[in-house]
Amino acid sequence: MSKRKKIITLIIILVSIICIGGITLKIEDFLHNQEVQRKQSQEQLHKENEKRIVEDVVKRFEGIKSVTFTFIAPSKVIGGYTYSFFVNEESYKKNQDYLWDYEILDDKTIGGSTDPLSGKYASKILDNFSKVVDSKYQRRKPLKEADVNNVKINYRLKADK
């Protein structure tokens, strides 16, 4: 091969490597941006769900000053997520019975909730296993709208594995 053909072949190989490298970098950048957007949308979803839960708790109970979310798990059976949290100073670190659980379905509705087993807001279990919540803290008629501006919300924002 002549010297000129060798130089042209070398230039074509270098240009090809540069093009393939550039395309690869662009694809990696695109995939990274997609992952960042997915995480941000998941965080936004959890923040909205957590705020929806706080609004529901404030509608149902009096004296809620703070809500701290401790655990979020995907709910494979019904779809959506299960959120665990405690209110005010009734920390789950003192006793797991202080935890509340809420299920938010994929359509963003509340699928169910479990009140804590201990503390001010605990349900009282009657002989036939029906629950009666202490009427001192539960509102007789839940509020139609809740003002959560005075409630300190400690968001969890990401699902636990």
Side-chain angles (χ1 to χ4, degrees):
M1 230 195 290
S2 71
K3 188 174 184 180
R4 183 178 176 151
K5 286 185 180 182
K6 287 182 182 179
I7 291 174
I8 291 173
T9 305
L10 183 63
I11 290 173
I12 291 173
I13 291 172
L14 286 173
V15 168
S16 299
I17 289 173
I18 290 171
C19 287
I20 291 171
I23 291 169
T24 303
L25 288 174
K26 285 291 184 187
I27 290 172
E28 285 180 6
D29 187 45
F30 174 77
L31 293 175
H32 174 72
N33 288 340
Q34 290 292 98
E35 181 66 18
V36 167
Q37 287 178 350
R38 187 189 67 75
K39 285 181 180 180
Q40 287 174 343
S41 68
Q42 281 285 61
E43 289 178 2
Q44 185 64 29
L45 169 77
H46 291 308
K47 190 170 184 175
E48 289 170 7
N49 285 345
E50 291 171 349
K51 188 169 183 181
R52 187 174 291 111
I53 290 168
V54 172
E55 287 172 351
D56 189 68
V57 170
V58 169
K59 285 178 186 177
R60 293 176 43 220
F61 293 92
E62 297 176 354
I64 306 295
K65 295 181 181 104
S66 69
V67 175
T68 302
F69 288 90
T70 60
F71 192 77
I72 302 171
S75 178
K76 306 243 187 260
V77 176
I78 60 172
Y81 291 89
T82 300
Y83 295 81
S84 296
F85 60 95
F86 64 92
V87 298
N88 301 342
E89 299 304 316
E90 296 183 335
S91 174
Y92 72 100
K93 292 178 182 175
K94 297 176 189 169
N95 184 343
Q96 291 291 326
D97 290 346
Y98 289 126
L99 281 177
W100 301 53
D101 286 320
Y102 262 71
E103 292 176 353
I104 302 290
L105 304 177
D106 285 333
D107 65 357
K108 299 182 181 179
T109 60
I110 296 173
S113 65
T114 305
D115 300 335
L117 299 173
S118 296
K120 288 175 23 175
Y121 301 97
S123 300
K124 293 182 181 178
I125 308 295
L126 301 176
D127 292 336
N128 60 1
F129 294 104
S130 60
K131 295 191 311 185
V132 175
V133 179
D134 186 353
S135 62
K136 181 177 178 183
Y137 298 104
Q138 185 177 18
R139 297 181 193 277
R140 298 216 186 275
K141 290 183 180 180
L143 300 174
K144 290 183 181 179
E145 289 192 29
D147 180 18
V148 295
N149 292 328
N150 295 328
V151 177
K152 182 179 181 200
I153 304 172
N154 299 304
Y155 296 100
R156 178 80 173 144
L157 296 183
K158 64 180 182 177
D160 299 288
K161 306 249 175 181

